[in-house]
Amino acid sequence: LGVNTMKRSTRRILTTHTGSLPRPPDLVDMIRAREAGHMVDTRALAARVQSAVVETVRRQVQSGIDVVSDGEMSKPAFNTYVAERLTGFGGDNTEPRVRAEAADFPGWASQVARPTGMRRRFCQGHLAYRDTQAVAADIQNLKRALGETPTEEAFISSASLGTIHYT
């Protein structure tokens, strides 16, 4: 997790993915409770995120992924977490998201429907970091997991400006 050049392989194509991986149900429950404003044991949540990252890295390596990620275990959703980490977001965006592929994949659509307690906000002002503690924890969790399950490379996803508009 430093500034390095991408590894290359002459023996095979290195594989990766991007974005969220399925979170363990108990972790999802904890994140949803926090998002809904309920009291959550922050130490227990941090410990569960850490163990979920270890599990996620191990499963990626076992399935043949060469360049792994933390699976975004600490984040409520790929694009909504930015409202926690950046200033400039507020309000409560209750407008439904229209997903063209939902009709073709109803099972998937039912899984990604906005879960109870998850909030989406509007961008209402200047974007700036609140602090870097959350990203530092993400980096530390991934480094810890890589210590247990070595791999070719690793990365942490971040929401691009093109996806933040879904927040």
Side-chain angles (χ1 to χ4, degrees):
L1 293 176
V3 179
N4 298 327
T5 58
M6 179 181 279
K7 292 188 178 194
R8 298 178 188 267
S9 174
T10 56
R11 57 185 169 80
R12 63 188 287 261
I13 296 171
L14 298 178
T15 59
T16 194
H17 65 89
T18 188
S20 295
L21 293 174
R23 292 158 188 80
D26 64 314
L27 177 57
V28 171
D29 291 343
M30 294 172 86
I31 291 172
R32 286 182 180 171
R34 182 190 66 195
E35 288 292 299
H38 301 295
M39 293 295 295
V40 174
D41 182 338
T42 56
R43 288 184 185 184
L45 176 58
R48 186 59 183 116
V49 168
Q50 181 181 337
S51 65
V53 172
V54 170
E55 295 163 13
T56 298
V57 167
R58 185 176 56 246
R59 282 195 315 269
Q60 289 173 82
V61 170
Q62 289 171 346
S63 67
I65 300 294
D66 300 297
V67 183
V68 301
S69 80
D70 68 345
E72 300 184 342
M73 294 294 117
S74 69
K75 300 167 184 162
F78 177 67
N79 52 353
T80 60
Y81 80 95
V82 296
E84 296 174 357
R85 297 184 182 190
L86 300 175
T87 62
F89 291 95
D92 193 12
N93 184 351
T94 59
E95 295 177 22
R97 291 188 199 163
V98 178
R99 298 181 183 260
E101 63 275 20
D104 292 332
F105 301 98
W108 167 82
S110 69
Q111 292 177 9
V112 299
R114 189 169 126 183
T116 303
M118 300 295 271
R119 295 181 65 198
R120 292 174 33 233
R121 295 172 179 88
F122 295 102
C123 182
Q124 298 176 323
H126 179 74
L127 300 181
Y129 285 109
R130 292 181 192 275
D131 64 54
T132 58
Q133 291 178 0
V135 72
D138 286 344
I139 292 167
Q140 186 59 40
N141 286 335
L142 184 55
K143 284 183 174 182
R144 190 173 286 121
L146 295 171
E148 294 185 29
T149 309
T151 185
E152 289 290 329
E153 280 192 88
F155 68 98
I156 294 177
S157 298
S158 65
S160 68
L161 292 176
T163 61
I164 290 175
H165 78 278
Y166 287 117
T167 298

